[in-house]
């Protein structure tokens, strides 16, 4: 629009992703506190003279001044970053720690997938994402537990929470042994569809604990239970997203103990096999 002057506004955000643009710029994907997910251009950030290049790396919590219409009604959909201050640059703590780096990558990718509409406010998801990054940085809990807790709570915000304390089909309360991703979670014997998994009771308990924040129970679980939980959570998420997450196969889940019984066939830890198998049955 001729004569249109882009307005300035401030917000704080978690950096989800960075992409190269031209010779010296980058496109930064941000999950902001008040304006949801948006993309912004950082001009000259790849030059050695850039004043804020190191502040706009993935997983960091930053305070920004942006140029553009906050509602996206005028001008380009890409905003421009004019100022940035680092609040806590968590990415620096993950660079030498492969499990934490890959878990943070999966969290960032999930946050982007759960916000399909740009500039749609999602305060609770922003707080959840920021809290997960803080927990990973502090090393308060095992990285896989933090990741699975984030995925379960993110699905709850999206309306996709798996049924854990009642049958997903008929609503019969109780602890049910079968788990079906297409059905929506735990299912009773009468409603169990073909191809449903049969996880250990401790696995369902762990999923409930991660959803409600019972870290005493979650931290006391064994590695095999955690791996089985991760497979179910990943399968459930990717079924609803209708696509696989690129970062999940890279997450370090730990090696199975010698002689350990493998988890039910819900996928390879990413949910791919479970999604494909159960959709065709």
């Amino acid at each position: 629009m001729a004569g249109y002057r882009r307005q300035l506004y401030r917000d704080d955000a978690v950096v989800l992703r960075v992409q190269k643009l031209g010779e010296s710029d980058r496109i930064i994907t941000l999950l902001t506190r008040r304006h949801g997910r948006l993309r912004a251009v950082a001009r000259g950030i790849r030059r050695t003279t850039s004043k804020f290049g190191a502040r706009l790396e993935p997983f960091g919590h930053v305070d920004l001044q942006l140029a553009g219409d906050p509602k996206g009604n005028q001008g380009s959909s890409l905003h421009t970053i004019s100022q940035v201050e680092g609040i806590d640059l968590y990415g620096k703590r993950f660079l030498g720690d492969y499990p934490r780096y890959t878990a943070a990558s999966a969290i960032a990718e999930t946050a982007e997938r759960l916000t399909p509409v740009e500039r749609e406010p999602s305060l609770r998801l922003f707080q959840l994402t920021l809290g997960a990054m803080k927990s990973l940085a502090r090393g308060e809990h095992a990285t896989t537990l933090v990741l699975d807790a984030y995925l379960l709570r993110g699905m709850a915000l999206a309306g996709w929470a798996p049924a854990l304390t009642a049958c997903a089909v008929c609503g019969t309360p109780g602890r049910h042994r079968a788990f079906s991703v297409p059905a929506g979670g735990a299912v009773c014997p009468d409603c169990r569809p073909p191809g449903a998994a049969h996880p250990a009771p401790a696995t369902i308990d762990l999923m409930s604990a991660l959803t409600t924040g019972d870290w005493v129970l979650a931290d006391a679980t064994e590695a095999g239970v955690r791996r089985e939980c991760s497979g179910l959570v990943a399968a459930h998420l990717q079924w609803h997203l209708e696509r696989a997450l690129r970062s999940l196969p890279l997450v370090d889940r730990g090696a199975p103990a010698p002689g350990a019984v493998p988890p039910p066939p819900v996928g390879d830890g990413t949910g791919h096999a479970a999604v494909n198998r159960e959709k065709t049955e």
Side-chain angles (χ1 to χ4, degrees):
M1 179 182 296
Y4 168 66
R5 185 174 182 178
R6 305 182 83 187
Q7 64 186 96
L8 299 177
Y9 66 98
R10 298 197 73 89
D11 207 342
D12 66 306
V14 176
V15 179
L16 301 182
R17 184 158 58 103
V18 300
Q19 300 167 267
K20 292 181 180 180
L21 177 65
E23 296 183 357
S24 60
D25 306 336
R26 278 181 178 166
I27 298 175
I28 314 296
T29 302
L30 303 158
L31 181 60
T32 67
R33 183 182 297 272
R34 292 182 291 276
H35 301 93
R37 180 180 60 84
L38 56 84
R39 296 182 303 154
V41 177
R43 303 289 183 190
I45 192 174
R46 291 159 55 200
R47 295 175 183 151
T48 56
T49 56
S50 174
K51 296 181 179 179
F52 51 78
R55 304 171 198 170
L56 288 173
E57 293 296 333
F59 321 134
H61 182 203
V62 295
D63 180 77
L64 301 151
Q65 178 174 275
L66 301 111
D69 181 6
K71 298 182 180 180
N73 296 324
Q74 301 182 56
S76 171
S77 61
L78 284 176
H79 297 192
T80 301
I81 298 173
S82 57
Q83 293 181 9
V84 59
E85 295 293 336
I87 298 175
D88 208 328
L89 305 180
Y90 301 115
K92 292 182 178 180
R93 310 183 201 179
F94 303 156
L95 291 178
D97 191 322
Y98 180 81
R100 287 200 293 176
Y101 182 87
T102 53
S105 298
I107 288 170
E109 185 179 358
T110 301
E112 190 170 356
R113 295 287 179 260
L114 292 177
T115 51
V117 180
E118 289 194 7
R119 289 181 295 275
E120 183 174 88
S122 184
L123 176 60
R124 293 179 65 187
L125 183 62
F126 168 82
Q127 293 172 329
L128 180 65
T129 304
L130 180 58
M133 294 299 180
K134 287 181 179 179
S135 183
L136 283 178
R138 294 170 181 169
E140 298 172 331
H141 310 285
T143 56
T144 56
L145 293 181
V146 175
L147 172 59
D148 290 336
Y150 176 83
L151 298 182
L152 284 165
R153 297 178 194 184
M155 285 190 286
L157 292 178
W160 304 335
L164 300 173
T165 59
C167 176
V169 178
C170 67
T172 301
R175 176 192 286 180
H176 302 295
R177 290 297 307 275
F179 189 98
S180 171
V181 170
V187 287
C188 68
D190 293 335
C191 300
R192 180 179 63 84
H198 289 79
T203 300
I204 301 298
D205 291 341
L206 175 57
M207 294 175 70
S208 297
L210 293 175
T211 302
T212 60
D214 185 354
W215 288 104
V216 174
L217 189 156
D219 289 335
T221 54
E222 298 178 353
V225 171
R226 296 179 184 181
R227 284 193 296 273
E228 190 173 54
C229 172
S230 295
L232 291 175
V233 172
H236 194 86
L237 172 66
Q238 292 177 129
W239 172 271
H240 287 284
L241 289 176
E242 298 184 345
R243 62 183 299 181
L245 294 179
R246 296 186 302 271
S247 53
L248 274 182
L250 304 176
V251 175
D252 186 354
R253 303 287 185 183
V261 178
V266 295
D268 58 358
T270 69
H272 301 145
V275 170
N276 295 333
R277 173 172 59 82
E278 294 192 21
K279 276 191 175 181
T280 58
E281 291 184 344

